[in-house]
Amino acid sequence: MAHHQKKDVLMTASRTLAEQIASFWRRRWLAIFGASVLFVAFLLASPMVLGEYAQQILSQAFFFAIAAITVDLLWGYTGVLTFGQSAFFGIGVYTVAIALAYYVDGALATAGAIFAAMVGAALVGAAVGWLSFWDRATPIYVAIVTLALPVVFTQIILSGGAYTGSSSGLPIPVPFLSITEWYYIAGGLLLLVAIGAYVFVSSDAGRVLVAIRENEERCRYLGLNTSRMKIHLMTACSAIAALSGAFYVLFSSVAAHSYGDFVFGTELVVWTALGGRGTLIGPILGTVGVNYVSALLGGNLPFIWLLFVGFAFVLVVVYLPQGLVPAIGQGLSTLVRPIRQLLNGGWNAVAAGAPPGAAGAAVALSSTADALGQRRSMIGAPDEAPVLELRDVGMQYGSLVALHGVSLKAYRGEVVGIIGPNGAGKTTLLRCIADGRERSTGEVLINGHRIDRLPPQRCVALGVSRKFQTPNVFDALTVLDCLRVARSYREPTSPWRRSRTVELPEPALAAVEVSGLTTMLNERASHLSHGAKQALELAMVLAQEPTVLLLDEPTAGLTRDERAAIGSVLTELAQSHRLCILLIEHDLDFVRDISTRLVVLHMGRVLLDGPLSEIADSDLIRSIYVGGTA
Amino acid sequence: MNAAVATRGLAVAGLEGGYGSSPVLHEVSFDIGPGEVFGVLGKNGMGKTTLLKTIVGFLPPRRGQVELLGENVTGWPPYQVTRLGVSYIPQEKSIFQDLSVEENLRLALREPSRFEERLIAVAGWFPFLTARRQQRAGTLSGGEQKMLLMARALLTRPRLVLIDEITEGLQPAVITRLQDILAEECRTHGTTIVLIEQNVGFALRKVYGIQLLLLMLAISILAVAPVRSQQKKPVVIAIPVGLSGVNSVVAPAVVQSAQLAADELNAKGGILGQPVRVVPLDDESGPAGAVKAFNTGIRQDKADVIITMETSAARNAGTPIAERAKVPFIYTSFYEGRACGEYLFVNAWVPEQVVPPLIKFMTDEKKVKRWFAVGSDYAFGRGMIEAAKKTIKDMGGTILGEEYQPLQQSDWTAIISKIRAANPDGIIYSTSGGGPNIDFLKQLKAAGLTMPIGSLSIDELTAEAGGNAAEGVYYTGDYFTGIDNPENKSFLEAMKKKFGAELKTPNALSEQEYDGLHAYAMAVERAGSTNADAIIKVLPTVVFKGPRGSVQMNKQHHAPLPIYLAQVQADGKTRVLKNFGLIDPGDQCPKLK
Amino acid sequence: MYTIELLDVVTTAGILYIVALGLLIVYGVLKIINLAHGAFLVLGSYAAVIATWLDWSPWSALVIALVGGAAVGAVAEWRVLRDLYVRPLDTILATWGLNIIIVQSITLYFGREIQFAESGVTQAVSVGGVTYSLYRLILLLIAAVLGVLVWLLMRRTQIGIVAQAVIMNEELAQALGINTRLVRFVTFCLGAGLASLAGALITPLVSVHPNLGVPWLINAFMLVMVAGVSLGNLALAALILGGAQVLVSSYGNPVLGSLTIIILAVIILRFRTITT
């Protein structure tokens, strides 16, 4: 009966899937196309109204806005606070200026110089990324490096003597274009970069950026090499900032150190924050707005204007951290809401026949048949080799010893319940298995491979996945997006395509279905109940197709029904999919219901280790849980 | 006047007007009720002052109507307008400097018997008035003069007060006082106030609610009305200068120099009969701002010439714009030399003019043979030290050490220790302008080094701000306030008279602006037009005898200049020791004649 | 032989220590990076200018600076930072905004030109055969005294102990009935006051203008990042990095010298294996 129903859903899925994808693609490209047409129309029409002065100001603002977009990609989307984009802008400015001033001329050579500027900046960006994003770098460290970068750059330019023009700037011979032509070039370039950035952030890879911002640790434990991603992003953003700098110097006809200095770097951040980080449109409007108004007012009241910007910046950071554009957008949508509700009311009435949520579920989820087959074939395989082996693992924090020489073996199809009082070292044990850098002594083997000092993302590749104690999902993403990010380790993400579906291995699909998440696929993860978050994280972890699953109190805070549901999923995973599950639990009844084996930890040592039937009712366990010591 | 009339404030409809035949106001309309405060904001030259002057009747309106307190006053003479109960506080100094405070006040009141009574009312706000009744008004401080103006305006208990830029050059504390007084006057007597302000903070505190709307309206009226060129258009002189950024320290003095020169030219009937208009623009002391400012000046304000002092980076950014647009550009700042352009002229010094005299003086008179050279690591610093080294070699001296300090680095420890170790007879140095001079000299002094010092980068203002840090330092230049000649004396007096308390002391970067305007005016008169190609031909033939002496830009668009030697005194003031006479700039632009 | 170099190294370290102290305290207790630190230095310098205007003793500037800086810090903490501690990256932005506000306000009132401030000590003394700036030696002494005072304050007084408790475990401190909000407020005021005091202390060596803070801020920032939260480490970092700066400037390239602190800090932080 149940099986039959599922088939129906899948059939509906294949039909609506194509339509939905098509409609989505239409919508995304329609948005891009519409915005482009509007902007191009504005660009072409505005010179009739705007004087050359205004066009001049706007051209400059457009170039700066491109640099602000790179700040937004790094900081707004990925959470990397950078003061250093000005340095890359400056690299663009000076590469082209020096090339044209001393070495080459002509259109083709200029294009070559621009390209060289981008390559140069990309190399520096990669180096900065390599320096900034090592495994344990704090966000502050990135700020330090990116703050140092413009200072170093400025000093190099200033001490370059006549070659760089030092503080006098380096004037260059440029082909003379009219102000309006430059206005079109600047606007066109901004439009191209903005479209590129929009396609990127709304792609599968863009979603991963947000996941990194929301919870980088979770990403690592999902097998994603976040450091490498950030280095790539930094490299690309450096090249784009250099591109805008290269064009800007052709426009302004003089290179100056102030285009690469620390103050300009902070201004880019200020404009991005004022407009609204993580929105693309916000930084563009912020940059254009501040530059335009400052040109109008700044001439007469330069210091008051700067003071005003300072106040506005502080107010926005404190009270409107999302920036002005989103705040205005929200304001407008509250105004528009009654109208929309009216329209939506009509819609709902039309669609009343369909059960709510069913369509969404059908569209999004499908099972990875291959994986299913694989798993099935494993059923009944002999359990001779342990999939997880700990040899004398010890862990010390300073003088505190959390684990004393723990040795343990676990096999496929086992559910190992790890119990013990608070501070017994249970969570530490899981950490030592999932992250090679944690333990102080001993060895851990997964599927026969030593984990040595591998970081979590490499441990995931060996087949171990970990679910955290408190639910660890990406609050800013929808349920579906969280699952997609979880799968991106298995399926390389595209930097421009946006998939509407996610293929989950059967265990993960089961976790989604059992917990009722199918009806909330398009809900933001932050809106989920505690239980739903736990289930979602479990599904995300299972999407890794692990052999060893580490669960830290998966039922904490759940209702009895939810607990039962999760319990049955876990039992099924161990029995049919032959997973090896390590489970930390305080709820003894739950442990008893699903475990095949119990390990009792106390004061960092294994006190008992044996089949459930033998030790579940021992006095020792009782005394530990009641609070006494054995 | 009856009550019905008194309920009205000020209404302006379709007003057009301006100086002579060049219109500044176009279709200005607004309506202000009694007790309202109306702010007029806008850039310089947008016609704010013209608006007030037209309302009060100093300027005849070309078209449109002014209705004041219910009367149609269009075309009335000013005295009749004021008798309706209108007080006008003009922007320029309008105190009778040689009269006493009391006499100034009495002049405003047409009923002498009520003077004491009104004075008591007003003195509540301005207590110093009663104490200083007999003092000569010209001896009051700038802030007190503004308060006297205000007191004089309020003494008559006017129903409409028109105020033009009252806050210019005032301390914040005084501004707050004036705000309170205006607010009180407005509240208790229902006085209508029209306020012209650059100081938006001041205007905004007064203007709220519905008035703010009017304010916006006023901006749009003035902003959308372009200055249409008529048959007698003014000669527009654009001054892109660092109103913000590093040059904001000297920029106001540069603008004042230009304003004085423009006043003098206008007093003589302008240039070729056309009025002179000065348009200061902010170049933000850097190239990005310079590009904006040059384009604004040339394209929007249709400048006939650019005469300004800028940073080298800003000049380099602006020159190609001026060249392309074929607008003459007179650069009035000393600089590292060798900036050339068909339309670019320089009337200030280059290293070849100031360095050799200083080195020669120190070698001959101070017996410095073994030198230590210190510079800031940038084009100007290195260029000056290069020039110095050349002269030292020519004079047979030796250079014990040569060190460059990165810009933006204020700790000179390492270099000072090297100087101490070398123990030279004297030091020649060239930092970047302003602060770094004092950083270096303070630390040098603290280190106990006392050999003679020649500076290639200090100026009068910086030396004075450094107190005794620069004591004893020798330097050369083409302008000092202490130059003893009649032209300089009358220049300084005229500046003092025009700007009073707001005067920014003229200095070696600002005086050249004054010369530049006069030289340009002479060139236009000689060429008979403002045509750029004609101007650049005659400009090298023009000799202007100004505060520095006679200056002619006849050497490859540069000028041989009289160079003076000066020394900083214990109180930071500079004393001029000697005039070396005219010194040639050498080959700056061999490609030009 | 190397007396001058030795004196240069230790006095430079002393100056850097004084300048970085306020930043360290704020970073240590509040876990935020106060980018307005440079602005507080500027405030202190202008305290010296005001003392000169009022014709007071140059030493009175230190008191004005300490009190004034702490007062401005109090307002800033109260109006801006109080609700931001949970968003540490945003505090970097907010304090940079604060920096803009303070510096622009000073620019509006005083203008950008350099200001004159009287110095208390301008003479030089003979040390080990060389004439050396007395004021730099005094600064070294003041650095030591300030270091000891702050150490005593943190380790020996109730408020210091409370602050330590907040550093170590804020939740626990709250559970013990400590008003962490007040601790933060007092700490920020202290940090701002010390920064401002540092500004007044360096005034006799530099010219006073509104933008003098940024280069000092960057060096202080780097030192504090290297030092972490320990006063001893800060002294060590000031000595090593400041010393390296002097030596590189003297014997190597002055451009590299001016970047020594920044580059060394970036490298040390990248490759230091022990994380605190």
Side-chain angles (χ1 to χ4, degrees):
Chain A
M1 173 81 189
H3 186 73
H4 197 71
Q5 257 181 359
K6 199 172 187 177
K7 221 174 185 177
D8 283 351
V9 169
L10 284 176
M11 275 173 66
T12 335
S14 61
R15 211 170 328 112
T16 46
L17 194 68
E19 291 164 19
Q20 288 269 347
I21 288 176
S23 104
F24 171 74
W25 275 80
R26 270 202 303 276
R27 236 183 297 157
R28 188 170 170 222
W29 289 107
L30 202 68
I32 293 172
F33 184 72
S36 306
V37 167
L38 276 179
F39 185 73
V40 168
F42 164 77
L43 212 56
L44 293 177
S46 50
M48 286 184 246
V49 186
L50 294 173
E52 285 189 323
Y53 178 63
Q55 293 172 35
Q56 173 98 23
I57 304 300
L58 285 176
S59 307
Q60 173 172 321
F62 289 163
F63 286 121
F64 290 170
I66 295 173
I69 287 178
T70 67
V71 171
D72 197 33
L73 288 176
L74 282 164
W75 176 47
Y77 283 92
T78 321
V80 177
L81 179 55
T82 170
F83 295 107
Q85 286 311 101
S86 60
F88 298 114
F89 189 88
I91 289 173
V93 165
Y94 272 90
T95 311
V96 169
I98 289 173
L100 290 187
Y102 299 113
Y103 303 113
V104 297
D105 64 329
L108 201 64
T110 308
I114 294 173
F115 182 72
M118 292 177 70
V119 171
L123 289 176
V124 177
V128 167
W130 172 80
L131 200 60
S132 307
F133 305 122
W134 89 96
D135 266 351
R136 295 187 165 189
T138 60
I140 301 276
Y141 183 69
V142 185
I144 295 171
V145 175
T146 59
L147 193 143
L149 190 67
V151 176
V152 173
F153 175 81
T154 317
Q155 208 52 263
I156 290 172
I157 295 298
L158 285 177
S159 32
Y163 186 69
T164 59
S166 188
S167 64
S168 310
L170 187 62
I172 56 167
V174 288
F176 180 66
L177 295 173
S178 76
I179 297 285
T180 308
E181 283 162 330
W182 270 116
Y183 179 64
Y184 292 151
I185 291 175
L189 198 64
L190 173 62
L191 182 65
L192 286 181
V193 172
I195 289 175
Y198 175 72
V199 169
F200 176 59
V201 298
S202 59
S203 74
D204 293 347
R207 202 157 39 214
V208 175
L209 296 187
V210 177
I212 292 175
R213 180 190 72 201
E214 291 290 308
N215 193 335
E216 185 164 359
E217 193 187 24
R218 178 72 271 179
C219 286
R220 290 227 174 98
Y221 280 98
L222 289 176
L224 299 175
N225 190 341
T226 54
S227 300
R228 206 172 55 206
M229 290 174 181
K230 288 198 283 188
I231 293 173
H232 289 169
L233 180 70
M234 179 66 112
T235 309
C237 285
S238 309
I240 295 168
L243 173 73
S244 68
F247 270 92
Y248 180 72
V249 73
L250 293 174
F251 160 74
S252 74
S253 79
V254 64
H257 68 94
S258 55
Y259 298 139
D261 73 0
F262 167 69
V263 174
F264 183 43
T266 57
E267 277 174 337
L268 287 173
V269 174
V270 171
W271 300 333
T272 305
L274 283 177
R277 57 182 102 154
T279 61
L280 285 184
I281 188 71
I284 295 174
L285 292 181
T287 306
V288 173
V290 172
N291 276 284
Y292 193 72
V293 180
S294 104
L296 290 185
L297 285 185
N300 281 342
L301 319 149
F303 300 131
I304 291 192
W305 168 244
L306 282 175
L307 185 63
F308 173 76
V309 170
F311 272 111
F313 179 51
V314 168
L315 287 176
V316 165
V317 169
V318 176
Y319 297 107
L320 290 174
Q322 290 317 310
L324 290 174
V325 170
I328 292 168
Q330 268 165 21
L332 285 182
S333 77
T334 8
L335 287 179
V336 175
R337 190 173 297 153
I339 306 167
R340 243 201 352 230
Q341 271 170 354
L342 214 66
L343 291 174
N344 282 351
W347 259 104
N348 288 343
V350 173
V363 171
L365 296 171
S366 61
S367 153
T368 51
D370 285 356
L372 197 74
Q374 234 173 6
R375 299 289 169 216
R376 284 272 149 75
S377 71
M378 282 173 181
I379 297 177
D383 291 338
E384 51 213 15
V387 286
L388 171 68
E389 185 174 358
L390 275 69
R391 292 179 189 159
D392 209 18
V393 170
M395 171 72 197
Q396 238 173 317
Y397 302 102
S399 59
L400 177 81
V401 182
L403 290 178
H404 291 275
V406 172
S407 295
L408 195 69
K409 283 181 186 172
Y411 300 86
R412 282 189 184 280
E414 273 194 312
V415 176
V416 182
I418 300 174
I419 58 174
N422 282 327
K426 302 186 299 281
T427 300
T428 308
L429 184 68
L430 292 200
R431 256 214 312 268
C432 288
I433 298 171
D435 183 349
R437 300 162 310 181
E438 288 280 343
R439 68 190 188 284
S440 318
T441 57
E443 274 174 22
V444 175
L445 288 87
I446 312 257
N447 287 322
H449 299 281
R450 284 159 197 259
I451 67 166
D452 293 321
R453 293 281 160 202
L454 293 181
Q457 66 267 24
R458 303 280 302 277
C459 294
V460 170
L462 292 176
V464 56
S465 289
R466 173 182 173 203
K467 192 201 155 304
F468 290 84
Q469 190 165 0
T470 48
N472 235 319
V473 294
F474 306 117
D475 281 344
L477 296 181
T478 64
V479 170
L480 199 54
D481 284 343
C482 286
L483 291 169
R484 278 199 203 99
V485 170
R487 279 301 286 176
S488 52
Y489 148 67
R490 289 276 171 188
E491 297 156 1
T493 51
S494 158
W496 53 83
R497 261 203 332 271
R498 183 187 182 96
S499 54
R500 279 295 284 175
T501 60
V502 58
E503 296 208 334
L504 293 177
E506 190 156 315
L509 194 59
V512 171
E513 282 170 354
V514 162
S515 56
L517 282 173
T518 32
T519 58
M520 306 180 233
L521 288 174
N522 292 318
E523 199 71 36
R524 264 172 71 114
S526 56
H527 298 163
L528 296 183
S529 69
H530 183 76
K533 278 186 187 168
Q534 292 279 36
L536 174 59
E537 197 193 1
L538 181 62
M540 285 161 65
V541 170
L542 288 172
Q544 312 291 300
E545 302 172 38
T547 21
V548 178
L549 179 60
L550 308 176
L551 301 175
D552 202 342
E553 302 203 29
T555 64
L558 298 194
T559 63
R560 182 171 288 273
D561 290 347
E562 287 169 334
R563 236 179 264 202
I566 293 235
S568 66
V569 170
L570 294 182
T571 316
E572 166 79 6
L573 286 174
Q575 284 174 3
S576 336
H577 299 288
R578 309 299 289 161
L579 257 64
C580 167
I581 300 175
L582 258 68
L583 174 78
I584 294 181
E585 258 306 337
H586 277 289
D587 180 349
L588 263 187
D589 293 333
F590 182 69
V591 175
R592 210 174 281 149
D593 283 348
I594 69 164
S595 299
T596 56
R597 184 174 142 203
L598 277 187
V599 171
V600 183
L601 273 185
H602 185 56
M603 310 274 284
R605 292 173 206 276
V606 176
L607 219 54
L608 278 176
D609 179 357
L612 177 76
S613 49
E614 288 174 24
I615 58 173
D617 294 317
S618 73
D619 292 343
L620 186 65
I621 291 176
R622 291 200 186 288
S623 67
I624 287 169
Y625 273 91
V626 174
T629 50
Chain B
M1 260 165 267
N2 59 42
V5 169
T7 54
R8 296 294 307 274
L10 167 66
V12 170
L15 196 64
E16 258 190 61
Y19 295 86
S21 52
S22 64
V24 178
L25 303 174
H26 300 271
E27 299 268 330
V28 176
S29 303
F30 54 81
D31 197 335
I32 315 166
E36 284 189 327
V37 183
F38 183 73
V40 180
L41 288 93
K43 290 195 178 194
N44 275 331
M46 286 300 222
K48 297 180 309 251
T49 301
T50 312
L51 175 65
L52 286 202
K53 286 192 170 168
T54 312
I55 291 172
V56 183
F58 286 104
L59 294 173
R62 196 81 70 57
R63 199 181 295 160
Q65 182 173 313
V66 179
E67 202 176 87
L68 247 174
L69 306 166
E71 299 269 357
N72 183 351
V73 302
T74 320
W76 284 23
Y79 74 93
Q80 283 190 346
V81 176
T82 46
R83 284 184 188 177
L84 281 178
V86 175
S87 276
Y88 171 49
I89 307 183
Q91 182 179 11
E92 303 93 34
K93 276 286 148 54
S94 37
I95 295 278
F96 300 97
Q97 304 267 330
D98 291 324
L99 296 185
S100 72
V101 170
E102 181 177 324
E103 286 162 339
N104 264 289
L105 290 171
R106 279 185 184 276
L107 278 170
L109 213 60
R110 278 177 301 120
E111 311 146 27
S113 57
R114 302 188 58 196
F115 178 72
E116 290 300 334
E117 170 211 326
R118 297 293 306 130
L119 180 63
I120 289 165
V122 176
W125 288 322
F126 307 104
F128 78 95
L129 289 176
T130 35
R132 310 251 189 107
R133 278 170 80 157
Q134 302 312 324
Q135 190 174 333
R136 212 162 60 82
T139 62
L140 294 175
S141 76
E144 287 168 341
Q145 293 194 12
K146 286 278 167 94
M147 286 192 259
L148 176 58
L149 268 177
M150 186 80 102
R152 196 174 66 187
L154 298 180
L155 197 68
T156 58
R157 181 152 294 162
R159 290 187 294 154
L160 173 69
V161 186
L162 303 159
I163 307 174
D164 195 350
E165 302 256 20
I166 189 79
T167 62
E168 201 184 20
L170 286 190
Q171 288 169 24
V174 177
I175 292 179
T176 316
R177 281 273 303 285
L178 293 183
Q179 277 173 341
D180 295 343
I181 292 163
L182 280 182
E184 174 73 3
E185 180 70 19
C186 200
R187 195 173 54 76
T188 49
H189 302 298
T191 314
T192 308
I193 295 173
V194 177
L195 204 60
I196 286 193
E197 266 305 325
Q198 301 253 21
N199 180 342
V200 172
F202 184 77
L204 286 186
R205 223 191 99 179
K206 310 293 321 148
V207 182
Y208 23 69
I210 182 75
Q211 287 96 328
L212 192 64
L213 253 170
L214 294 169
L215 163 90
M216 307 301 272
L217 193 72
I219 290 177
S220 67
I221 291 166
L222 298 176
V224 297
V227 181
R228 253 187 268 140
S229 56
Q230 292 284 319
Q231 54 275 53
K232 238 186 193 177
K233 75 171 203 69
V235 174
V236 178
I237 297 170
I239 307 177
V241 68
L243 297 175
S244 61
V246 284
N247 277 351
S248 59
V249 178
V250 288
V254 173
V255 174
Q256 288 188 344
S257 281
Q259 283 165 342
L260 177 66
D263 274 14
E264 290 175 359
L265 291 170
N266 282 332
K268 286 190 290 185
I271 304 180
L272 291 179
Q274 293 167 249
V276 176
R277 192 158 80 88
V278 166
V279 182
L281 300 155
D282 186 16
D283 72 9
E284 297 160 22
S285 306
V291 170
K292 273 192 270 180
F294 271 72
N295 276 307
T296 314
I298 291 172
R299 296 168 192 284
Q300 189 163 297
D301 297 303
K302 308 285 181 224
D304 294 294
V305 64
I306 288 165
I307 305 176
T308 193
M309 165 261 151
E310 291 195 293
T311 61
S312 285
R315 179 200 65 236
N316 283 340
T319 310
I321 298 172
E323 294 275 319
R324 275 181 213 151
K326 294 190 191 294
V327 172
F329 173 14
I330 302 177
Y331 183 62
T332 63
S333 168
F334 59 77
Y335 78 115
E336 63 276 9
R338 303 201 157 64
C340 303
E342 207 182 334
Y343 294 88
L344 176 66
F345 289 80
V346 181
N347 75 354
W349 58 254
V350 292
E352 286 85 338
Q353 292 169 290
V354 292
V355 177
L358 179 62
I359 300 289
K360 278 183 191 138
F361 165 80
M362 289 180 70
T363 307
D364 295 342
E365 311 280 324
K366 296 287 142 191
K367 306 295 170 223
V368 178
K369 298 277 179 232
R370 297 154 60 253
W371 295 81
F372 203 100
V374 177
S376 281
D377 196 354
Y378 77 123
F380 182 76
R382 283 192 178 259
M384 294 298 274
I385 295 301
E386 275 312 309
K389 272 162 56 188
K390 192 166 165 293
T391 317
I392 290 172
K393 290 217 178 85
D394 293 347
M395 300 286 299
T398 50
I399 292 153
L400 300 180
E402 179 185 352
E403 292 293 332
Y404 293 95
Q405 167 92 330
L407 283 180
Q408 297 166 354
Q409 171 81 349
S410 56
D411 183 1
W412 293 80
T413 312
I415 288 178
I416 287 172
S417 290
K418 282 186 190 171
I419 298 175
R420 197 202 322 266
N423 194 25
D425 300 334
I427 298 169
I428 184 84
Y429 83 87
S430 175
T431 62
S432 49
N437 285 284
I438 301 304
D439 293 342
F440 177 61
L441 292 171
K442 267 187 182 175
Q443 291 172 38
L444 204 60
K445 201 178 177 87
L449 296 175
T450 53
M451 55 280 284
I453 301 166
S455 172
L456 300 171
S457 53
I458 203 164
D459 60 274
E460 283 184 82
L461 288 178
T462 304
E464 201 168 343
N468 63 359
E471 181 183 351
V473 168
Y474 294 101
Y475 64 117
T476 43
D478 56 349
Y479 182 75
F480 297 93
T481 49
I483 293 176
D484 189 15
N485 67 29
E487 288 81 9
N488 189 33
K489 287 216 173 83
S490 65
F491 167 69
L492 291 173
E493 261 164 39
M495 288 293 282
K496 218 171 277 168
K497 189 164 158 239
K498 178 163 169 56
F499 297 104
E502 284 91 53
L503 177 71
K504 303 283 175 196
T505 314
N507 57 65
L509 284 165
S510 76
E511 187 280 333
Q512 290 81 352
E513 180 75 23
Y514 174 82
D515 284 17
L517 258 74
H518 278 292
Y520 175 75
M522 291 167 77
V524 175
E525 300 277 358
R526 189 168 297 178
S529 85
T530 55
N531 176 283
D533 290 312
I535 294 293
I536 61 168
K537 281 208 185 67
V538 297
L539 205 46
T541 69
V542 166
V543 183
F544 175 66
K545 188 157 193 254
R548 293 184 292 172
S550 292
V551 176
Q552 182 181 10
M553 291 177 273
N554 58 350
K555 286 287 161 80
Q556 297 169 359
H557 290 195
H558 287 65
L561 294 168
I563 299 296
Y564 301 84
L565 175 76
Q567 186 181 28
V568 182
Q569 308 298 303
D571 58 356
K573 294 248 194 304
T574 293
R575 196 157 66 88
V576 178
L577 302 178
K578 182 173 174 185
N579 182 357
F580 293 109
L582 277 188
I583 295 190
D584 198 89
D587 273 351
Q588 292 296 325
C589 302
K591 286 182 189 164
L592 298 169
K593 275 185 289 167
Chain C
M1 179 76 194
Y2 292 108
T3 322
I4 292 185
E5 281 81 358
L6 184 69
L7 286 171
D8 281 349
V9 167
V10 293
T11 53
T12 301
I15 294 168
L16 287 171
Y17 185 82
I18 292 174
V19 169
L21 194 58
L23 192 64
L24 180 97
I25 286 173
V26 170
Y27 180 64
V29 179
L30 305 179
K31 300 284 182 292
I32 65 167
I33 293 169
N34 177 18
L35 286 188
H37 186 73
F40 286 110
L41 290 172
V42 177
L43 274 180
S45 286
Y46 278 85
V49 172
I50 289 168
T52 305
W53 282 6
L54 297 173
D55 226 356
W56 291 359
S57 148
W59 298 107
S60 70
L62 304 186
V63 181
I64 304 177
L66 188 66
V67 174
V72 175
V75 175
E77 205 277 346
W78 172 48
R79 296 307 314 167
V80 178
L81 293 174
R82 181 154 289 179
D83 302 320
L84 281 186
Y85 295 113
V86 288
R87 296 187 263 147
L89 279 186
D90 281 1
T91 58
I92 299 185
L93 303 179
T95 50
W96 180 251
L98 209 56
N99 181 74
I100 298 176
I101 292 173
I102 296 175
V103 169
Q104 288 308 324
S105 304
I106 288 175
T107 310
L108 264 181
Y109 190 78
F110 289 92
R112 267 186 77 117
E113 57 263 42
I114 54 172
Q115 301 287 337
F116 173 60
E118 199 79 55
S119 308
V121 179
T122 52
Q123 60 268 47
V125 290
S126 180
V127 186
V130 294
T131 329
Y132 203 77
S133 161
L134 175 60
Y135 191 71
R136 288 179 71 98
L137 298 171
I138 293 176
L139 280 187
L140 183 61
L141 187 72
I142 292 177
V145 170
L146 274 180
V148 170
L149 279 182
V150 172
W151 184 81
L152 285 177
L153 182 73
M154 294 303 275
R155 290 301 159 96
R156 291 283 179 271
T157 64
Q158 184 63 31
I159 179 150
I161 291 162
V162 167
Q164 294 282 315
V166 174
I167 296 180
M168 289 168 194
N169 187 338
E170 181 169 347
E171 279 182 24
L172 185 65
Q174 271 173 330
L176 291 175
I178 292 170
N179 182 349
T180 53
R181 176 178 266 213
L182 183 69
V183 172
R184 282 173 171 153
F185 178 74
V186 171
T187 310
F188 192 83
C189 293
L190 180 67
L194 281 174
S196 182
L197 176 68
L201 282 169
I202 59 170
T203 302
L205 297 176
V206 299
S207 56
V208 180
H209 55 91
N211 295 15
L212 72 89
V214 171
W216 292 99
L217 163 73
I218 291 174
N219 280 344
F221 173 70
M222 294 296 165
L223 286 175
V224 169
M225 290 299 111
V226 170
V229 296
S230 141
L231 289 168
N233 282 353
L234 181 64
L236 197 63
L239 200 60
I240 293 173
L241 298 189
Q245 170 180 307
V246 170
L247 296 178
V248 172
S249 303
S250 301
Y251 295 106
N253 177 335
V255 175
L256 209 54
S258 71
L259 297 174
T260 305
I261 292 183
I262 293 181
I263 293 174
L264 276 184
V266 166
I267 294 173
I268 290 174
L269 287 168
R270 174 66 169 83
F271 296 102
R272 185 173 60 185
T273 44
I274 316 144
T275 43
T276 42

